[in-house]
Amino acid sequence: MNRYLLVLEYIGTSYMGSQKQPEKMPNSSKLVVTIQDELEKAISTLTKTKTKTIFSGRTDAGVHAKGQTAHFETELELNPSKFVNSLNGILPNTISVKELKKVPKTFHAQKSAKARHYRYTIANRTQRSAWDAHCLLVRYPLDIQRMNKALSYLIGEHDYTSFKKVRTSNPAKICNMYKAKAVRDGDYVYIDFIADRFLYNMIRSIVGTLLLIERNSLAPETLKEILDSRDKTKAGSTISPEGLTLIEVIYNDINGESK
């Protein structure tokens, strides 16, 4: 069997996340459609064999990606360029494959990853724009210097219980944050996070807390106090997934200064 790595991007608005789920929502006749469903269906059509994909990790419902990765196996020897062209001809317009390459059998999309890079995008102005489809509108002014002071307390290895969804079966709570930084570009504020792992709803909860601090002019140290408390009730709201994008899955060694 040959193993291949895919790099894909998608607009997650109309999907129930990246990971395959039961076909119907509980107590509903509504079908559940995920990124993995659509990708496996397209690959299986081309290989003429039911094909399973392994993603680097899940993205929640409504979250986007510019650099999600997944691997799959097939007995076929694929021509990467032709296969990508064929996949993109089958996939919905909201999903596209950027790259395909053959990898060693020891490679694993999830287990081989060293870190993930996410970005949250905020439009910081008093009025909405027709171009703001995939970001969060914040109408009050944001102070980048204050935000970065607060974010600096996240660097390093910490217990992120305060920013983790309360009812989840995953017991993980420790993450090593390599980068947490906000930058302004005109009316837009981009907040980049790079860590070895992220917990369910973690980034959306952190950004919600950051906005709570800004809206109420609280001290930047408030973020550290909430982090150290390990108490989810002290955190801000878990904000919209629309502004969140998985930028890259990193497989080489991490140097916090370089990203």
Side-chain angles (χ1 to χ4, degrees):
M1 296 288 279
N2 299 306
R3 183 168 292 194
Y4 291 90
L5 170 69
L6 281 166
V7 181
L8 63 152
E9 54 189 5
Y10 47 84
I11 301 299
T13 307
S14 59
Y15 297 96
M16 292 298 293
S18 62
Q19 187 171 301
K20 201 179 204 88
Q21 298 179 36
E23 288 188 3
K24 292 184 179 179
M25 297 179 70
N27 304 316
S28 171
S29 60
K30 184 178 180 181
L31 291 176
V32 173
V33 182
T34 69
I35 304 297
Q36 189 176 22
D37 289 324
E38 296 294 339
L39 182 62
E40 290 184 356
K41 184 167 62 176
I43 294 173
S44 298
T45 297
L46 295 177
T47 61
K48 296 180 171 56
T49 305
K50 188 173 182 179
T51 305
K52 179 182 178 182
T53 59
I54 305 294
F55 276 53
S56 68
R58 64 178 296 167
T59 53
D60 299 339
V63 175
H64 319 297
K66 288 188 174 181
Q68 174 67 281
T69 59
H71 79 256
F72 67 95
E73 292 188 337
T74 176
E75 293 181 353
L76 301 176
E77 190 73 39
L78 303 178
N79 178 307
S81 178
K82 288 183 178 179
F83 197 76
V84 168
N85 286 341
S86 298
L87 275 178
N88 286 335
I90 296 173
L91 287 166
N93 291 337
T94 47
I95 306 174
S96 60
V97 174
K98 298 169 67 176
E99 182 183 356
L100 172 75
K101 62 181 178 180
K102 194 173 183 179
V103 291
K105 291 280 287 184
T106 54
F107 177 88
H108 192 282
Q110 181 184 31
K111 295 178 182 177
S112 299
K114 298 292 192 300
R116 283 88 176 165
H117 174 191
Y118 278 88
R119 173 174 292 163
Y120 200 93
T121 302
I122 296 171
N124 190 207
R125 67 173 87 86
T126 57
Q127 295 297 329
R128 70 174 183 85
S129 165
W131 299 100
D132 290 346
H134 307 302
C135 61
L136 178 73
L137 176 63
V138 174
R139 298 176 187 271
Y140 51 87
L142 297 175
D143 186 321
I144 298 299
Q145 186 174 354
R146 281 172 41 87
M147 291 172 72
N148 280 322
K149 176 65 174 175
L151 289 167
S152 70
Y153 295 113
L154 301 179
I155 302 300
E157 189 172 84
H158 301 286
D159 182 324
Y160 279 87
T161 299
S162 294
F163 304 110
K164 177 184 178 180
K165 185 178 175 67
V166 175
R167 286 181 289 277
T168 174
S169 58
N170 190 334
K173 58 185 179 180
I174 306 297
C175 302
N176 192 355
M177 187 77 74
Y178 303 111
K179 178 178 181 178
K181 186 176 182 180
V183 297
R184 179 181 289 280
D185 183 6
D187 289 340
Y188 292 96
V189 173
Y190 302 104
I191 310 174
D192 287 289
F193 299 91
I194 299 177
D196 61 345
R197 67 187 303 166
F198 290 94
L199 309 180
Y200 190 33
N201 285 172
M202 175 176 154
I203 295 177
R204 292 162 57 197
S205 180
I206 290 173
V207 176
T209 304
L210 198 61
L211 294 178
L212 174 71
I213 291 170
E214 280 296 286
R215 185 170 62 250
N216 295 287
S217 299
L218 304 177
E221 290 77 14
T222 303
L223 190 64
K224 183 180 188 307
E225 294 169 5
I226 294 171
L227 174 69
D228 292 342
S229 73
R230 301 177 186 177
D231 183 352
K232 184 67 171 70
T233 64
K234 296 184 183 300
S237 60
T238 300
I239 57 174
S240 166
E242 271 300 319
L244 185 57
T245 302
L246 172 60
I247 300 295
E248 181 186 10
V249 180
I250 301 168
Y251 290 100
N252 58 320
D253 290 335
I254 300 302
N255 178 344
E257 298 293 323
S258 65
K259 288 288 184 180

